[in-house]
């Protein structure tokens, strides 16, 4: 299943504005900048930049070329973002592409096999972790015992906003950002990559 699956994670705010998307297939990881206000970031890191409609078309062609038959994300939010593009929704139906909700898989597996251990772990965590009991980061902590020290819950949006504002003020010249702003950009990109790679890890670790 993993070799025929596209893993995807959008980074956006609560209003539905998307900054960036990360995806992987067959152990190949890619990121695409979706916000023109982050053009300096895409140029600095060599990332392609396009709007959501063009990205959806890109993914359609990629899935055809690579014979991918399913899309996995942590919740339905990411697939719904793609389905908001009418042509992509039609593509899913025509090609019989299935969606894998990794959150549901993880939750079902843990509740069936490891509920007591998992509850004990979550109850020992700070409140911001406890608020979303079956969050991706909690599941990964349970599976691997530790998570990246700079993985900050709820800070990715503010990091992208800070970098975006700075780049707009500096006419998209990434070199003119402060070290703090550059660090926020790096952490935001790392956060997204960790989320994407974690989807395959969760499915691979006897949960799927």
């Amino acid at each position: 299943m993993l070799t025929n699956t596209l893993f995807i994670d959008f980074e956006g705010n609560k209003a539905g504005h998307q900054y960036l998307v990360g995806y992987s297939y067959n152990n190949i990881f890619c990121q695409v900048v979706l916000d023109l206000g982050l053009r300096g970031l895409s140029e600095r890191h060599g990332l392609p930049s396009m709007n959501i409609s063009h990205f959806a078309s890109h993914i359609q062609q990629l899935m055809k070329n690579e014979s991918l038959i399913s899309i996995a994300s942590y919740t339905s939010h990411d697939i719904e973002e793609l389905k908001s593009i009418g042509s992509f929704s039609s593509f899913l139906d025509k090609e019989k592409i299935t969606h894998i909700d990794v959150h549901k898989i993880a939750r079902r597996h843990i509740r069936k096999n490891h509920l007591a251990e998992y509850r004990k772990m979550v109850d020992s965590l700070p409140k911001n972790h406890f608020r979303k009991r079956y969050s991706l980061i909690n599941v990964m902590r349970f599976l691997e015992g530790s998570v990246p020290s700079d993985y900050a819950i709820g800070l990715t949006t503010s990091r992208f906003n800070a970098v975006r504002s700075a780049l707009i003020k500096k006419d998209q010249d990434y070199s003119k950002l402060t070290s703090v702003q550059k660090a926020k950009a790096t952490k935001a990109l790392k956060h997204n990559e960790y989320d994407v790679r974690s989807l395959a890890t969760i499915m691979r670790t006897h949960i799927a």
Side-chain angles (χ1 to χ4, degrees):
M1 179 182 289
L2 296 181
T3 56
N4 299 113
T5 300
L6 178 84
F7 300 92
I8 193 166
D9 180 62
F10 282 90
E11 300 295 346
N13 61 24
K14 291 182 179 179
H17 179 78
Q18 302 300 332
Y19 304 103
L20 173 133
V21 60
Y23 64 94
S24 69
Y25 62 97
N26 298 333
N27 293 318
I28 299 171
F29 175 74
C30 307
Q31 287 175 317
V32 173
V33 172
L34 302 173
D35 185 336
L36 285 176
L38 293 169
R39 179 169 52 83
L41 176 69
S42 68
E43 292 174 352
R44 170 63 179 80
H45 290 274
L47 303 175
S49 178
M50 62 188 80
N51 62 33
I52 185 67
S53 181
H54 287 162
F55 175 70
S57 296
H58 167 70
I59 290 299
Q60 283 187 46
Q61 195 58 53
L62 174 69
M63 295 194 74
K64 289 179 181 178
N65 292 345
E66 299 294 330
S67 301
L68 304 177
I69 59 174
S70 59
I71 298 175
S73 59
Y74 202 64
T75 66
S76 61
H77 163 75
D78 302 276
I79 192 70
E80 291 302 325
E81 186 67 34
L82 287 170
K83 288 171 68 175
S84 68
I85 308 301
S87 59
F88 194 86
S89 184
S90 299
F91 164 75
L92 294 178
D93 293 336
K94 180 181 178 181
E95 301 297 328
K96 296 181 171 57
I97 303 296
T98 59
H99 175 242
I100 301 172
D101 189 320
V102 179
H103 173 264
K104 288 183 177 179
I105 290 174
R107 184 173 183 272
R108 183 169 58 244
H109 178 86
I110 290 170
R111 288 176 67 85
K112 181 180 179 180
N113 301 285
H114 308 286
L115 186 56
E117 304 161 62
Y118 190 79
R119 280 181 172 173
K120 183 178 180 180
M121 182 207 74
V122 173
D123 289 345
S124 70
L125 298 174
K127 288 183 178 180
N128 60 329
H129 289 262
F130 183 81
R131 185 167 55 85
K132 294 184 178 181
R133 182 176 290 270
Y134 290 96
S135 65
L136 180 146
I137 196 66
N138 282 354
V139 172
M140 285 299 292
R141 187 187 299 275
F142 183 72
L143 291 178
E144 299 196 329
S146 63
V147 295
S149 59
D150 58 356
Y151 187 101
I153 295 176
L155 291 184
T156 306
T157 296
S158 64
R159 284 170 174 169
F160 275 120
N161 281 337
V163 174
R164 185 179 188 275
S165 296
L167 284 171
I168 291 173
K169 289 179 181 178
K170 301 298 182 181
D171 295 322
Q172 298 300 321
D173 188 341
Y174 190 90
S175 67
K176 292 182 179 178
L177 267 57
T178 66
S179 58
V180 172
Q181 291 164 341
K182 290 177 180 177
K184 287 182 177 181
T186 299
K187 289 176 181 177
L189 293 177
K190 284 176 61 180
H191 181 108
N192 173 256
E193 180 173 0
Y194 181 80
D195 282 355
V196 173
R197 294 189 183 281
S198 292
L199 296 172
T201 299
I202 291 171
M203 290 181 62
R204 190 182 298 115
T205 313
H206 310 298
I207 283 184

